[in-house]
Amino acid sequence: MTGSDDSVRLRQAPDVVACTLEGGNALLDLASSNYYTLNGSAAMIWEWLGSGATVAELIDRMLETFDVEREVCADDVQAVVASFEDAGLVVRGD
């Protein structure tokens, strides 16, 4: 992730459109013309970012959904969010 603050609110970037696929989502970044496919758990994170969420909130929601250890969940969520940020798919702030 570009920053390590789990309390910063993240949102989907405005130039990214999504469609639901069986088992996940497909994203198209209109600014870069890059296309991405997301597995089921990454698609859930993407959907939750639609209304804005912090990394801490995403971790809590994943823990409510899946039976996984907090440390493993946190690492996985942070990796997904970092990949979204690296690709320019999310923006930081309120």
Side-chain angles (χ1 to χ4, degrees), residues 10-32:
L10 301 167
R11 297 189 181 283
Q12 298 168 347
D15 290 338
V16 179
V17 293
C19 69
T20 302
L21 302 174
E22 194 171 314
N25 280 19
L27 307 179
L28 175 61
D29 182 349
L30 299 174
S32 67

